[in-house]
Amino acid sequence: GRKLSVGGVVKVLSVESCASGLPLEDQVRLRAIVGQTRQIVEFDGAGFVWLCFGDIIEYGGDFCVFPGEVALV
């Protein structure tokens, strides 16, 4: 199958790995992205997938999720 790669477009399936423990306002903002598509910005040393809140990537990723929380589109 296809592998996740920087620049690839994914559907966000979950944000639970990064939302847990955050203030409620931040959790709501993250959970609103579930079901949307985003472009992969980078992978960090631990293997997390970094994505942006918006469609424009200006400086890097805004939040990260486990690879299993996204699906290639």
Side-chain angles (χ1 to χ4, degrees):
R2 300 180 311 162
K3 293 185 179 184
L4 299 176
S5 61
V6 172
V9 177
V10 295
K11 181 176 183 177
V12 180
L13 304 176
S14 174
V15 294
E16 292 310 308
S17 64
C18 63
S20 179
L22 291 177
L24 183 58
E25 179 179 313
D26 293 335
Q27 290 183 37
V28 169
R29 185 175 181 202
L30 280 168
R31 289 188 176 117
I33 294 171
V34 173
Q36 297 182 14
T37 58
R38 292 292 185 270
Q39 187 175 26
I40 297 174
V41 176
E42 66 180 305
F43 294 92
D44 66 16
F48 286 97
V49 178
W50 282 85
L51 307 170
C52 290
F53 283 112
D55 295 331
I56 299 171
I57 301 167
E58 295 182 18
Y59 57 86
D62 293 319
F63 66 98
C64 64
V65 294
F66 289 124
E69 293 178 300
V70 297
L72 284 169
V73 294

Coordinates of all heavy atoms in Angstrom, one line a residue:
G1 N 0.8 -1.2 0.0 CA 0.0 0.0 0.0 C 0.9 1.3 0.0 O 2.1 1.2 0.1
R2 N 0.2 2.3 -0.1 CA 0.9 3.6 -0.1 C 1.3 4.0 1.3 O 0.6 3.6 2.3 CB -0.1 4.7 -0.6 CG -0.5 4.4 -2.0 CD -1.4 5.5 -2.6 NE -2.5 5.8 -1.6 CZ -3.3 6.9 -1.7 NH1 -3.1 7.8 -2.6 NH2 -4.2 7.1 -0.8
K3 N 2.4 4.8 1.4 CA 2.9 5.2 2.7 C 2.7 6.7 2.9 O 2.6 7.4 2.0 CB 4.4 4.9 2.8 CG 4.7 3.4 2.9 CD 6.2 3.2 3.1 CE 6.5 1.7 3.1 NZ 7.9 1.4 3.4
L4 N 2.5 7.0 4.2 CA 2.4 8.5 4.5 C 3.8 9.1 4.2 O 4.8 8.6 4.4 CB 2.1 8.7 6.0 CG 0.8 8.1 6.5 CD1 0.8 8.3 8.0 CD2 -0.4 8.7 5.8
S5 N 3.7 10.3 3.6 CA 4.9 11.1 3.3 C 4.6 12.6 3.4 O 3.5 13.0 3.3 CB 5.4 10.7 1.9 OG 4.5 11.0 0.9
V6 N 5.7 13.3 3.6 CA 5.5 14.8 3.7 C 4.9 15.3 2.4 O 5.3 14.9 1.3 CB 6.9 15.5 3.9 CG1 6.8 17.0 3.8 CG2 7.4 15.1 5.3
G7 N 3.9 16.1 2.5 CA 3.2 16.6 1.3 C 2.0 15.8 0.9 O 1.1 16.3 0.2
G8 N 1.9 14.6 1.5 CA 0.7 13.8 1.2 C -0.5 14.4 1.9 O -0.5 15.0 2.9
V9 N -1.7 14.1 1.3 CA -2.9 14.6 1.8 C -3.6 13.5 2.5 O -3.7 12.4 2.0 CB -3.8 15.1 0.7 CG1 -5.2 15.6 1.2 CG2 -3.1 16.3 -0.1
V10 N -4.1 13.8 3.8 CA -4.7 12.8 4.6 C -6.0 13.3 5.2 O -6.2 14.5 5.3 CB -3.8 12.4 5.8 CG1 -2.5 11.7 5.3 CG2 -3.4 13.6 6.7
K11 N -6.9 12.4 5.5 CA -8.1 12.7 6.2 C -7.8 12.5 7.7 O -7.3 11.4 8.1 CB -9.3 11.8 5.7 CG -10.6 12.1 6.4 CD -11.7 11.2 5.8 CE -13.0 11.5 6.5 NZ -14.1 10.7 5.9
V12 N -8.2 13.4 8.5 CA -8.0 13.3 9.9 C -9.1 12.5 10.5 O -10.3 12.9 10.4 CB -8.0 14.7 10.6 CG1 -7.7 14.6 12.1 CG2 -6.9 15.6 10.0
L13 N -8.8 11.4 11.1 CA -9.7 10.4 11.7 C -9.9 10.7 13.2 O -11.0 10.4 13.7 CB -9.3 9.0 11.4 CG -9.0 8.6 10.0 CD1 -8.5 7.2 10.0 CD2 -10.3 8.7 9.2
S14 N -8.9 11.2 13.8 CA -8.9 11.4 15.3 C -7.9 12.4 15.7 O -6.8 12.5 15.0 CB -8.7 10.1 16.0 OG -8.6 10.3 17.4
V15 N -8.1 13.1 16.8 CA -7.1 14.0 17.3 C -6.9 13.7 18.8 O -6.3 14.5 19.5 CB -7.4 15.4 17.1 CG1 -7.4 15.8 15.6 CG2 -8.8 15.8 17.7
E16 N -7.4 12.5 19.2 CA -7.4 12.2 20.7 C -6.0 12.2 21.3 O -5.8 12.5 22.4 CB -8.1 10.9 20.9 CG -9.6 11.0 20.7 CD -10.3 12.2 21.3 OE1 -10.1 12.4 22.6 OE2 -11.0 13.0 20.6
S17 N -5.0 11.8 20.5 CA -3.7 11.7 21.1 C -3.1 13.1 21.4 O -2.3 13.2 22.4 CB -2.7 11.0 20.1 OG -2.6 11.8 18.9
C18 N -3.5 14.1 20.7 CA -3.0 15.4 21.1 C -4.0 16.3 21.8 O -3.6 17.3 22.5 CB -2.6 16.1 19.8 SG -3.9 16.5 18.6
A19 N -5.3 15.9 21.8 CA -6.3 16.7 22.5 C -6.4 16.5 24.0 O -6.7 17.3 24.8 CB -7.7 16.5 21.9
S20 N -6.0 15.3 24.4 CA -6.2 14.9 25.8 C -5.3 15.8 26.7 O -4.1 16.0 26.4 CB -5.7 13.4 25.9 OG -5.8 13.0 27.3
G21 N -5.9 16.3 27.7 CA -5.2 17.1 28.7 C -5.1 18.6 28.3 O -4.6 19.4 29.1
L22 N -5.6 19.0 27.1 CA -5.5 20.4 26.7 C -6.7 21.1 27.3 O -7.7 20.5 27.6 CB -5.5 20.5 25.2 CG -4.3 20.0 24.4 CD1 -4.6 20.2 22.9 CD2 -3.1 20.8 24.8
P23 N -6.6 22.4 27.4 CA -7.8 23.2 27.8 C -9.0 22.9 26.8 O -8.7 22.6 25.6 CB -7.3 24.7 27.7 CG -5.8 24.6 27.8 CD -5.5 23.3 27.1
L24 N -10.2 23.0 27.3 CA -11.4 22.7 26.6 C -11.4 23.5 25.2 O -11.8 22.9 24.2 CB -12.6 23.0 27.4 CG -14.0 22.7 26.7 CD1 -14.0 21.2 26.3 CD2 -15.1 23.0 27.6
E25 N -11.1 24.7 25.2 CA -11.1 25.5 24.0 C -10.2 24.9 22.9 O -10.6 24.9 21.7 CB -10.6 27.0 24.3 CG -10.6 27.9 23.1 CD -10.2 29.3 23.5 OE1 -10.7 29.8 24.5 OE2 -9.3 29.8 22.8
D26 N -9.0 24.5 23.3 CA -8.1 23.9 22.4 C -8.6 22.5 21.9 O -8.5 22.2 20.7 CB -6.7 23.7 23.0 CG -6.0 25.0 23.3 OD1 -6.4 26.0 22.6 OD2 -5.2 25.1 24.2
Q27 N -9.2 21.8 22.8 CA -9.8 20.5 22.4 C -10.9 20.6 21.4 O -11.0 19.9 20.4 CB -10.4 19.7 23.6 CG -9.3 19.2 24.6 CD -9.9 18.5 25.7 OE1 -10.9 17.8 25.6 NE2 -9.3 18.7 26.9
V28 N -11.7 21.6 21.6 CA -12.8 21.9 20.6 C -12.2 22.3 19.3 O -12.7 21.8 18.2 CB -13.8 23.0 21.2 CG1 -14.7 23.5 20.1 CG2 -14.5 22.5 22.4
R29 N -11.2 23.1 19.2 CA -10.6 23.5 18.0 C -10.0 22.3 17.2 O -10.2 22.2 16.0 CB -9.5 24.6 18.3 CG -8.9 25.2 17.1 CD -7.9 26.2 17.4 NE -7.3 26.8 16.2 CZ -6.2 27.5 16.2 NH1 -5.5 27.7 17.3 NH2 -5.7 27.9 15.1
L30 N -9.3 21.5 18.0 CA -8.7 20.3 17.3 C -9.8 19.3 16.8 O -9.7 18.8 15.7 CB -7.8 19.5 18.3 CG -6.4 20.1 18.5 CD1 -5.8 19.5 19.7 CD2 -5.6 19.9 17.2
R31 N -10.8 19.1 17.6 CA -11.9 18.1 17.3 C -12.7 18.6 16.0 O -13.2 17.8 15.3 CB -12.7 17.8 18.4 CG -12.0 16.9 19.5 CD -12.8 16.4 20.6 NE -12.0 15.6 21.5 CZ -11.8 15.8 22.7 NH1 -12.3 16.9 23.3 NH2 -11.0 15.0 23.4
A32 N -12.7 19.9 15.8 CA -13.4 20.4 14.6 C -12.7 20.0 13.3 O -13.3 20.0 12.3 CB -13.5 21.9 14.7
I33 N -11.5 19.6 13.4 CA -10.7 19.2 12.2 C -11.0 17.7 11.8 O -10.8 17.4 10.7 CB -9.2 19.5 12.5 CG1 -9.0 21.0 12.6 CG2 -8.4 18.9 11.3 CD1 -7.6 21.3 13.0
V34 N -11.5 16.9 12.7 CA -11.8 15.5 12.4 C -12.7 15.4 11.2 O -13.7 16.1 11.2 CB -12.3 14.8 13.7 CG1 -12.8 13.4 13.3 CG2 -11.3 14.8 14.8
G35 N -12.3 14.6 10.3 CA -13.1 14.5 9.1 C -12.6 15.3 7.9 O -13.0 15.1 6.8
Q36 N -11.8 16.3 8.2 CA -11.3 17.2 7.2 C -10.0 16.6 6.6 O -9.4 15.7 7.2 CB -11.0 18.6 7.8 CG -12.3 19.3 8.2 CD -12.0 20.7 8.7 OE1 -11.0 21.3 8.5 NE2 -13.0 21.2 9.4
T37 N -9.5 17.2 5.5 CA -8.3 16.8 4.9 C -7.2 17.8 5.2 O -7.5 19.0 5.2 CB -8.4 16.5 3.4 OG1 -8.9 17.7 2.8 CG2 -9.3 15.4 3.1
R38 N -6.0 17.4 5.3 CA -4.9 18.2 5.6 C -3.6 17.6 4.9 O -3.6 16.4 4.7 CB -4.5 18.4 7.1 CG -5.6 19.1 7.9 CD -5.6 20.6 7.5 NE -6.4 21.4 8.3 CZ -7.7 21.6 8.0 NH1 -8.3 21.1 7.0 NH2 -8.4 22.4 8.8
Q39 N -2.7 18.5 4.6 CA -1.4 18.0 4.0 C -0.4 17.8 5.1 O -0.3 18.6 6.1 CB -0.9 19.1 3.0 CG 0.3 18.7 2.3 CD 0.7 19.7 1.2 OE1 0.4 20.9 1.4 NE2 1.4 19.3 0.2
I40 N 0.3 16.7 5.0 CA 1.4 16.4 6.0 C 2.5 17.4 5.9 O 3.1 17.6 4.8 CB 1.9 14.9 5.8 CG1 0.8 13.9 6.1 CG2 3.1 14.7 6.8 CD1 1.2 12.5 5.8
V41 N 2.9 18.0 7.0 CA 3.9 19.0 7.0 C 5.3 18.4 7.3 O 6.3 18.7 6.6 CB 3.6 20.1 8.0 CG1 4.8 21.1 8.1 CG2 2.3 20.8 7.7
E42 N 5.3 17.5 8.3 CA 6.5 16.8 8.6 C 6.2 15.6 9.5 O 5.1 15.4 10.0 CB 7.5 17.8 9.3 CG 7.0 18.3 10.7 CD 7.9 19.2 11.4 OE1 9.1 18.9 11.6 OE2 7.5 20.3 11.7
F43 N 7.3 14.8 9.8 CA 7.3 13.8 10.8 C 8.3 14.1 11.8 O 9.4 14.6 11.4 CB 7.6 12.4 10.2 CG 6.6 11.9 9.2 CD1 6.7 12.2 7.8 CD2 5.5 11.2 9.6 CE1 5.8 11.7 6.9 CE2 4.5 10.7 8.7 CZ 4.7 11.0 7.4
D44 N 8.1 14.0 13.1 CA 9.1 14.3 14.0 C 9.9 13.0 14.4 O 9.6 11.9 13.8 CB 8.5 14.9 15.3 CG 7.6 14.1 16.1 OD1 7.6 12.8 15.9 OD2 6.9 14.6 16.9
G45 N 10.9 13.1 15.2 CA 11.7 12.0 15.6 C 11.0 10.8 16.2 O 11.5 9.7 16.2
A46 N 9.9 11.1 16.8 CA 9.1 10.0 17.4 C 8.1 9.4 16.5 O 7.3 8.5 16.8 CB 8.3 10.6 18.7
G47 N 8.0 9.9 15.2 CA 7.1 9.3 14.2 C 5.8 10.0 14.2 O 4.9 9.5 13.4
F48 N 5.5 11.0 14.9 CA 4.2 11.7 14.9 C 4.1 12.5 13.5 O 5.1 13.0 13.0 CB 4.1 12.7 16.0 CG 3.8 12.1 17.3 CD1 4.9 11.8 18.2 CD2 2.6 11.7 17.7 CE1 4.7 11.3 19.4 CE2 2.3 11.1 18.9 CZ 3.4 10.9 19.8
V49 N 2.9 12.6 13.1 CA 2.5 13.3 11.8 C 2.1 14.7 12.2 O 1.2 14.9 13.0 CB 1.3 12.6 11.1 CG1 0.9 13.3 9.9 CG2 1.7 11.1 10.8
W50 N 2.8 15.7 11.6 CA 2.5 17.1 11.9 C 1.6 17.7 10.8 O 1.9 17.5 9.6 CB 3.7 17.9 12.1 CG 4.4 17.7 13.4 CD1 5.2 16.6 13.8 CD2 4.2 18.4 14.6 NE1 5.5 16.7 15.1 CE2 4.9 17.8 15.6 CE3 3.4 19.6 14.9 CZ2 5.0 18.3 16.9 CZ3 3.5 20.1 16.2 CH2 4.2 19.5 17.2
L51 N 0.5 18.3 11.2 CA -0.5 18.9 10.3 C -0.7 20.4 10.8 O -0.3 20.8 11.8 CB -1.8 18.2 10.4 CG -1.7 16.7 10.2 CD1 -3.1 16.0 10.6 CD2 -1.3 16.3 8.8
C52 N -1.3 21.1 9.9 CA -1.7 22.5 10.2 C -3.2 22.7 10.4 O -4.0 21.9 9.8 CB -1.3 23.4 9.0 SG 0.5 23.6 8.8
F53 N -3.6 23.7 11.1 CA -5.0 24.0 11.3 C -5.6 24.4 10.0 O -6.7 24.0 9.7 CB -5.2 25.1 12.4 CG -5.1 24.6 13.8 CD1 -4.0 25.0 14.5 CD2 -5.9 23.7 14.3 CE1 -3.8 24.6 15.8 CE2 -5.8 23.2 15.6 CZ -4.7 23.7 16.4
G54 N -5.0 25.2 9.2 CA -5.5 25.7 8.0 C -4.9 25.1 6.8 O -4.1 24.1 6.9
D55 N -5.3 25.5 5.6 CA -4.8 24.9 4.4 C -3.4 25.5 4.0 O -2.7 24.9 3.2 CB -5.8 25.2 3.3 CG -7.1 24.5 3.5 OD1 -7.1 23.4 4.1 OD2 -8.1 25.0 3.0
I56 N -3.0 26.7 4.5 CA -1.8 27.3 4.2 C -0.7 27.0 5.2 O -0.9 27.1 6.4 CB -2.0 28.9 4.1 CG1 -3.0 29.2 3.1 CG2 -0.7 29.5 3.8 CD1 -3.4 30.7 3.1
I57 N 0.4 26.4 4.7 CA 1.5 26.1 5.5 C 2.5 27.2 5.5 O 3.2 27.4 4.5 CB 2.1 24.7 5.1 CG1 1.1 23.6 5.1 CG2 3.3 24.4 5.9 CD1 1.5 22.4 4.3
E58 N 2.6 27.9 6.6 CA 3.5 29.1 6.6 C 4.8 28.8 7.3 O 5.9 29.3 6.9 CB 2.8 30.3 7.2 CG 1.6 30.8 6.4 CD 1.0 32.0 7.1 OE1 1.6 32.6 7.9 OE2 -0.2 32.3 6.7
Y59 N 4.8 28.0 8.3 CA 6.0 27.9 9.1 C 6.2 26.5 9.7 O 7.2 26.3 10.3 CB 5.9 28.9 10.3 CG 4.7 28.7 11.2 CD1 4.7 27.8 12.2 CD2 3.6 29.4 10.9 CE1 3.6 27.6 13.0 CE2 2.4 29.2 11.7 CZ 2.4 28.3 12.7 OH 1.3 28.1 13.5
G60 N 5.4 25.6 9.5 CA 5.5 24.3 10.0 C 4.2 23.8 10.6 O 3.1 24.4 10.4
G61 N 4.2 22.6 11.2 CA 3.0 22.1 11.7 C 2.5 22.7 13.0 O 3.2 23.3 13.8
D62 N 1.1 22.7 13.2 CA 0.5 23.3 14.3 C 0.2 22.2 15.4 O 0.2 22.5 16.6 CB -0.8 23.9 13.9 CG -0.7 25.1 13.1 OD1 0.2 25.9 13.3 OD2 -1.5 25.2 12.1
F63 N 0.0 21.0 15.0 CA -0.3 19.9 15.9 C 0.1 18.6 15.3 O 0.3 18.5 14.1 CB -1.8 19.9 16.3 CG -2.7 19.6 15.2 CD1 -3.2 18.3 15.0 CD2 -3.1 20.5 14.3 CE1 -4.0 18.0 14.0 CE2 -4.0 20.2 13.2 CZ -4.4 18.9 13.1
C64 N 0.3 17.6 16.2 CA 0.7 16.3 15.7 C -0.3 15.2 16.2 O -0.9 15.4 17.2 CB 2.1 16.0 16.1 SG 2.4 15.8 17.9
V65 N -0.4 14.1 15.4 CA -1.2 13.0 15.8 C -0.4 11.7 15.5 O 0.6 11.7 14.8 CB -2.5 13.0 15.0 CG1 -3.4 14.1 15.4 CG2 -2.3 13.0 13.5
F66 N -0.9 10.6 16.0 CA -0.3 9.3 15.6 C -0.6 9.0 14.1 O -1.7 9.4 13.6 CB -0.9 8.2 16.5 CG -0.5 8.2 17.9 CD1 -1.4 8.2 18.9 CD2 0.9 8.1 18.3 CE1 -1.0 8.2 20.2 CE2 1.3 8.1 19.6 CZ 0.3 8.2 20.6
P67 N 0.3 8.3 13.5 CA 0.0 7.9 12.1 C -1.3 7.2 11.9 O -2.0 7.4 10.8 CB 1.2 7.1 11.7 CG 2.3 7.5 12.6 CD 1.6 7.9 13.9
G68 N -1.8 6.4 12.8 CA -3.0 5.7 12.8 C -4.3 6.6 12.9 O -5.4 6.1 12.7
E69 N -4.1 7.9 13.2 CA -5.2 8.8 13.3 C -5.5 9.6 12.0 O -6.3 10.4 12.0 CB -4.9 9.8 14.5 CG -4.9 9.1 15.8 CD -4.6 10.0 16.9 OE1 -3.5 10.7 16.9 OE2 -5.5 10.2 17.8
V70 N -4.8 9.2 11.0 CA -5.0 9.8 9.7 C -5.1 8.7 8.6 O -4.6 7.6 8.8 CB -3.9 10.8 9.3 CG1 -3.9 12.0 10.2 CG2 -2.5 10.2 9.2
A71 N -5.7 9.0 7.5 CA -5.8 8.1 6.4 C -5.5 8.8 5.1 O -6.0 9.9 4.9 CB -7.2 7.5 6.3
L72 N -4.7 8.2 4.2 CA -4.4 8.8 2.9 C -5.7 9.0 2.1 O -6.5 8.1 2.1 CB -3.4 8.0 2.1 CG -2.0 8.0 2.6 CD1 -1.1 6.9 1.9 CD2 -1.4 9.4 2.3
V73 N -5.8 10.1 1.3 CA -6.9 10.3 0.4 C -6.4 10.3 -1.0 O -5.3 10.4 -1.3 CB -7.7 11.5 0.8 CG1 -8.4 11.4 2.1 CG2 -6.9 12.8 0.7

